[in-house]
Amino acid sequence: DTGSGGATDTGGGSTPPAPKTVSVSVGNYFFAPKTVTVNVGDTVQWSFGASGHTVTSGGSCTPNGQFDSGLRAPGTTYSQTFTSPGTYNYHCIPHCASDDMTGTVVVMP
């Protein structure tokens, strides 16, 4: 016997879940859902059902440069993959004064 048999310890940790895509609808003056929670590596995809809207990172009508869809036409999408944990606020630039056109992505480690 060479001692090469038996179980192998792989660290005992569980395999992280496969990355997923979470959908958010962009309509006439709303994001639905307003808040989504994802894991690091997941993607959020915004689907535009109305024209004249953006998905722009930052709060209080102030873009912070992390992501920006630009103005989108109905039937288009915009996706963002989140690689760091944290809370990411976003808004629609033309309608950021409306509370219904703000949203949050919570990224868990």
Side-chain angles (χ1 to χ4, degrees), residues 84-107:
S84 297
T87 299
Y88 297 85
N89 294 311
Y90 65 90
H91 58 277
C92 170
I93 289 176
H95 307 107
C96 62
S98 169
D99 185 52
D100 292 332
M101 290 299 306
T102 63
T104 305
V105 177
V106 178
V107 182

Side-chain angles (χ1 to χ4, degrees), residues 10 13-14 16 24 31-33 35 40 50 60-61 63 70 78 84-86 89 106 109:
T10 59
S14 61
V24 176
F31 292 115
T35 301
V40 168
S60 302
C61 294
Y78 172 73
S84 297
N89 294 311
V106 178

Side-chain angles (χ1 to χ4, degrees), residues 22-27 30-32 44-50 55 72-79:
V22 174
S23 297
V24 176
S25 296
V26 182
F30 69 85
F31 292 115
V44 176
Q45 181 180 69
W46 289 268
S47 298
F48 291 78
V55 172
R72 293 291 172 123
T76 63
T77 62
Y78 172 73
S79 295

